[in-house]
Amino acid sequence: MSAAAQGTSKAAHGDVAPKKKKGPGALATAYLVIYNVVMTAGWLVIAVGLVRAYLARGSYHGLYYSIEKPLKFFQTGALLEVLHCAVGIVPSSVVLTGFQVMSRVFLTWAVTHSVREVQSEDSVLLFVTAWTVTEIIRYSFYTFSLLNHLPYLIKWARYTFFIVLYPMGVSGELLTIYAALPYVQKTGLYSVTLPNKYNFSFDYYTFLILVMISYIPLFPQLYFHMMRQRKKVLGHADDYSKVE
Amino acid sequence: VKHTVEVLDATTKEQLCFLDKVDPHSTIGDIKSLFYKSYPQWYPARQALRLDTRGKSLRDDEVLQNLPVGTTATMYFKDLGPQLGWTTVFFAEYIGVLLTYLVFFFRVPYIYSHTYALTSSPHPVVKLACVCHTFHYVKRLMETIFVHRFSHGTMPLRTIVKNCAYYWGFSAWLAYYINHPLYTPPSYGELQVKYALFTFAMCEVGNLSIHMSLSNLRTDGFRVRRFPTPTKNPFTWLFFFVSCPNYTYEVGAWLSFTVMTQCLPVAIYTLFGFIQMTIWAKVKHRAYLREFKDYPTVRMAIIPLIL
């Protein structure tokens, strides 16, 4: 699922209401700035890669292959964010962050990478584009927040673009999982059947269907959470100056 | 000197109740009974009263004049939601688990392929597993009735629904595999099953011994606080090494059951249980350390010398 709903970070709301926050130390702040700059750069590389490949080929088809490696690298690298929460240098929930990152990593590796036949689907481009734009905005948002100089434009973008990007990403993800289903069923990918000496079974096909169903309760919750965050953060736009 | 107590809603801050001429020796429990008279839908068990909106809830046995409030007290009320007594809770959880397992043991139709409906497994270990599982939960039920002394009277409805889903769900999952027509008995055969059965039985007796010794600590109604110590019963000697040997034995019982059935879902259930019980053990251990200055330093929370 798109990590656009990562609205729980207090760093995002530090400019809305003065809250008592411990905050990371100077070393941790320096590290986080570097981390977020690197991630912004990484997703920019992916964005540029997509544009260049499109211009070179003249079609939307099969653009996944041109950005496959940086996508895997930077999306998997986001696992560090779970560590940041666990260690306490980022004031977000480990569980929430873990869940969001794991769902992205799951789509990248357990679906798109594992089922070759879906890699040429247009739905892959749909979610990759959504993720790319979201992450560029999100990581630059964090970078500027940490440096205490957040341009209103970035804040606005972060809390507005999701309105389109989130459903776009979810659609791409669901369509991709759906496209993978027949191949998973045919090859028995990641599945274990009885009998075996550990008396265990796992049907990856059924699992993927359950994952798709789980989007139904989860997506609206995350989407409306972001909507509420938007009202809170941007609602008082008239009271604040455009650039801090 | 009579006190006055003002009860405000913790969220809206509106005044819900004003009690005057309150005896300073009244307990929070008494205040809750008075509040209940004005609001009969909020029986005392679902009331949480606090001295500030975000603080800890006051205990029912706290006395009004011992609170840092002076002669006019302001308290904040929060509705804890519908509550159920502990006995009801445990019955719901444990009977549900028992019956769920049996549904799979007897191979009720539509679970497995219809050629196997209502048949029984040819493997003796499958019957033994059913006996052990059933014994484990019947023992827990008996303990709930005869042994445990609960400090809080009730539990919120939401928690019970969550717990039942967890217990019944896992029971169904592991029972499904153990009683499956394609079940594979343990690799080391009867030897493996016999050893596992022995350690299972030892852990069940151990767990019961600990529950009984903990229950005996509370015979004076929670007034005098002592920490548990080893008794003449050798099973309680684990208290030399851990604060919560009941959890240690519980994990031991489930590990034995895992080895006995050689079933991965049982191992996963054991792991989840271990993680949860370790969290509880650590909390209890820290509470003991804070409360008793002479608490034995060699003791760990749940695993001797390790955790």
Side-chain angles (χ1 to χ4, degrees):
Chain A
M1 249 179 263
S2 313
Q6 173 87 281
T8 51
S9 166
K10 286 212 179 79
H13 306 143
D15 43 337
V16 176
K19 282 201 185 133
K20 249 190 301 179
K21 51 174 181 151
K22 252 193 313 182
L27 186 64
T29 309
Y31 162 75
L32 283 172
V33 169
I34 294 172
Y35 173 79
N36 285 299
V37 165
V38 167
M39 293 305 258
T40 312
W43 286 94
L44 277 166
V45 163
I46 295 169
V48 166
L50 283 171
V51 171
R52 287 180 66 177
Y54 171 67
L55 292 173
R57 289 167 204 243
S59 100
Y60 293 111
H61 208 64
L63 293 181
Y64 169 77
Y65 301 102
S66 52
I67 43 83
E68 182 178 2
K69 282 200 173 34
L71 175 71
K72 284 177 176 172
F73 181 80
F74 289 100
Q75 186 56 83
T76 313
L79 282 170
L80 281 173
E81 285 162 52
V82 183
L83 195 65
H84 299 162
C85 296
V87 167
I89 55 179
V90 171
S92 283
S93 144
V94 173
V95 172
L96 206 58
T97 310
F99 180 77
Q100 289 174 291
V101 175
M102 280 317 296
S103 73
R104 288 284 195 91
V105 168
F106 175 77
L107 243 128
T108 307
W109 290 99
V111 181
T112 315
H113 166 79
S114 302
V115 186
R116 285 183 198 294
E117 292 85 349
V118 306
Q119 289 168 4
S120 49
E121 293 277 329
D122 291 341
S123 56
V124 173
L125 180 63
L126 198 60
F127 76 74
V128 170
T129 309
W131 290 5
T132 306
V133 180
T134 305
E135 298 301 66
I136 292 171
I137 297 171
R138 183 168 77 95
Y139 286 115
S140 41
F141 177 90
Y142 290 148
T143 310
F144 287 115
S145 296
L146 284 164
L147 297 171
N148 277 310
H149 188 96
L150 179 66
Y152 182 77
L153 180 67
I154 305 275
K155 185 161 80 169
W156 180 86
R158 196 218 161 152
Y159 285 99
T160 307
F161 277 44
F162 80 90
I163 297 175
V164 169
L165 291 177
Y166 204 37
M168 189 172 137
V170 165
S171 307
E173 293 169 25
L174 283 173
L175 285 167
T176 307
I177 299 174
Y178 185 72
L181 287 177
Y183 300 104
V184 169
Q185 190 174 47
K186 196 168 56 160
T187 60
L189 181 69
Y190 299 147
S191 302
V192 175
T193 55
L194 289 175
N196 59 72
K197 74 173 172 180
Y198 295 114
N199 294 301
F200 177 70
S201 68
F202 180 71
D203 183 25
Y204 193 47
Y205 175 80
T206 311
F207 180 75
L208 285 176
I209 292 180
L210 290 174
V211 167
M212 289 178 74
I213 293 175
S214 76
Y215 274 67
I216 299 175
L218 291 170
F219 166 68
Q221 277 190 47
L222 292 166
Y223 194 65
F224 291 120
H225 171 76
M226 276 307 272
M227 281 296 197
R228 272 177 274 131
Q229 292 297 92
R230 179 170 202 267
K231 277 197 182 61
K232 217 167 55 158
V233 174
L234 299 181
H236 308 293
D238 354 289
D239 308 345
Y240 287 43
S241 55
K242 290 274 170 184
V243 176
E244 265 112 75
Chain B
V1 177
K2 294 290 189 184
H3 288 227
T4 56
V5 177
E6 187 188 35
V7 182
L8 310 177
D9 184 296
T11 358
T12 64
K13 309 282 186 1
E14 64 163 303
Q15 194 195 70
L16 295 172
C17 189
F18 188 84
L19 305 163
D20 59 0
K21 300 209 201 28
V22 182
D23 189 310
H25 299 291
S26 314
T27 61
I28 295 295
D30 297 330
I31 310 273
K32 287 185 179 175
S33 304
L34 290 171
F35 186 81
Y36 175 50
K37 286 203 176 76
S38 311
Y39 294 94
Q41 75 275 29
W42 289 326
Y43 43 86
R46 62 188 280 185
Q47 296 177 35
L49 293 176
R50 306 175 177 152
L51 291 176
D52 69 82
T53 51
R54 286 174 177 278
K56 254 184 73 174
S57 301
L58 297 164
R59 282 201 347 247
D60 279 10
D61 58 1
E62 302 227 40
V63 176
L64 184 59
Q65 67 177 11
N66 295 339
L67 296 174
V69 285
T71 52
T72 41
T74 301
M75 294 185 191
Y76 295 93
F77 162 81
K78 195 169 182 298
D79 178 19
L80 296 171
Q83 304 281 307
L84 287 172
W86 280 117
T87 321
T88 318
V89 170
F90 284 126
F91 263 71
E93 290 176 5
Y94 298 154
I95 291 185
V97 176
L98 258 178
L99 295 177
T100 310
Y101 192 99
L102 292 175
V103 162
F104 290 88
F105 177 74
F106 289 113
R107 294 185 176 165
V108 162
Y110 295 106
I111 296 178
Y112 304 113
S113 110
H114 66 254
T115 43
Y116 294 102
L118 300 174
T119 58
S120 51
S121 170
H123 309 292
V125 67
V126 172
K127 271 192 196 60
L128 184 62
C130 185
V131 168
C132 288
H133 188 269
T134 307
F135 172 80
H136 181 82
Y137 286 100
V138 166
K139 168 181 155 291
R140 282 209 198 177
L141 278 166
M142 294 295 113
E143 285 172 341
T144 307
I145 303 170
F146 298 110
V147 179
H148 293 313
R149 295 175 208 270
F150 298 107
S151 41
H152 299 291
T154 61
M155 187 196 236
L157 181 63
R158 254 197 168 182
T159 313
I160 296 158
V161 173
K162 202 174 43 131
N163 288 357
C164 283
Y166 174 81
Y167 280 116
W168 300 12
F170 258 111
S171 172
W173 192 46
L174 52 94
Y176 172 79
Y177 289 105
I178 298 172
N179 299 291
H180 201 285
L182 295 177
Y183 172 75
T184 311
S187 308
Y188 295 98
E190 229 186 277
L191 195 66
Q192 180 171 340
V193 174
K194 278 203 165 65
Y195 271 117
L197 177 63
F198 176 73
T199 53
F200 177 80
M202 291 291 108
C203 288
E204 292 289 309
V205 174
N207 180 267
L208 177 63
S209 306
I210 303 301
H211 284 157
M212 294 189 67
S213 86
L214 287 172
S215 175
N216 289 335
L217 282 180
R218 289 188 164 176
T219 45
D220 35 27
F222 313 105
R223 297 279 163 210
V224 177
R225 298 186 69 84
R226 295 172 285 155
F227 62 82
T229 49
T231 66
K232 289 201 192 67
N233 179 343
F235 286 101
T236 64
W237 296 353
L238 201 47
F239 270 122
F240 282 119
F241 300 104
V242 290
S243 295
C244 302
N246 48 319
Y247 294 143
T248 318
Y249 282 122
E250 178 81 15
V251 175
W254 283 103
L255 270 172
S256 308
F257 193 67
T258 307
V259 171
M260 191 196 297
T261 55
Q262 198 167 297
C263 179
L264 186 61
V266 181
I268 294 173
Y269 180 62
T270 307
L271 179 65
F272 275 52
F274 171 67
I275 292 171
Q276 178 65 83
M277 284 188 275
T278 302
I279 295 172
W280 291 337
K282 288 222 163 271
V283 169
K284 193 94 198 139
H285 183 71
R286 254 176 271 137
Y288 281 147
L289 285 171
R290 261 179 298 142
E291 185 166 355
F292 303 105
K293 299 299 161 212
D294 55 338
Y295 199 73
T297 46
V298 75
R299 281 197 199 179
M300 301 298 283
I302 187 172
I303 305 182
L305 308 173
I306 299 177
L307 194 56

